[in-house]
Amino acid sequence: QVQVVESGGGLVQPGGSLRLSCATSGSIFSIDAMGWYRQAPGKERELVATITSGGSTNYANSVKGRFTITRDNAKNTVYLQMNSLKPEDTAVYYCNARLRTSSVIYYSTYWGQGTQVTVSS
C-alpha cells in the first residue's frame, strides 16, 4: 500500500508565499518522477511542475520564476515553494509520484488527495 499526502496549503495574500510538501510512504522500491498539478473551480487539472529522480525540472509557463520544485530522495518527499502568489494561483494542488512498489516490476502513478491554496486579500 502506498500513501501520498500533501500539506502546507492555506490562505495567503497576493504577493505572499507558501511551501507545499508531499510525502510518499509505504512499500516503495523506487520513485521516478514526482510532480505538482492544480485544479481551479470549473477548470481542468493542469501541470504546475515536475522533477525527475535526477533533479531535472519542468514548469508551467504561468509559474516560471515564481515557483520552485525540489525533492528529498531520502525522505521520498517533494516540495513546492510558491512565491509572489497571485489570485489566479488559487486552486486545489495535487501531488503525484510515479513509483514502483517492492512487490512489482513496473511503475505506476499515485495521487494525493490535494491541498487547497487560496490567494486573496
Side-chain angles (χ1 to χ4, degrees), residues 49-96:
T50 62
I51 185 167
T52 68
S53 57
S56 296
T57 58
N58 180 52
Y59 295 93
N61 287 333
S62 59
V63 307
K64 281 181 181 177
R66 300 188 298 123
F67 292 9
T68 302
I69 187 171
T70 58
R71 66 190 278 176
D72 184 333
N73 290 329
K75 296 181 178 180
N76 291 339
T77 299
V78 64
Y79 306 95
L80 186 68
Q81 178 66 43
M82 305 186 294
N83 299 328
S84 303
L85 282 160
K86 304 175 181 180
E88 51 264 43
D89 294 318
T90 295
V92 177
Y93 283 70
Y94 297 90
C95 167
N96 80 358

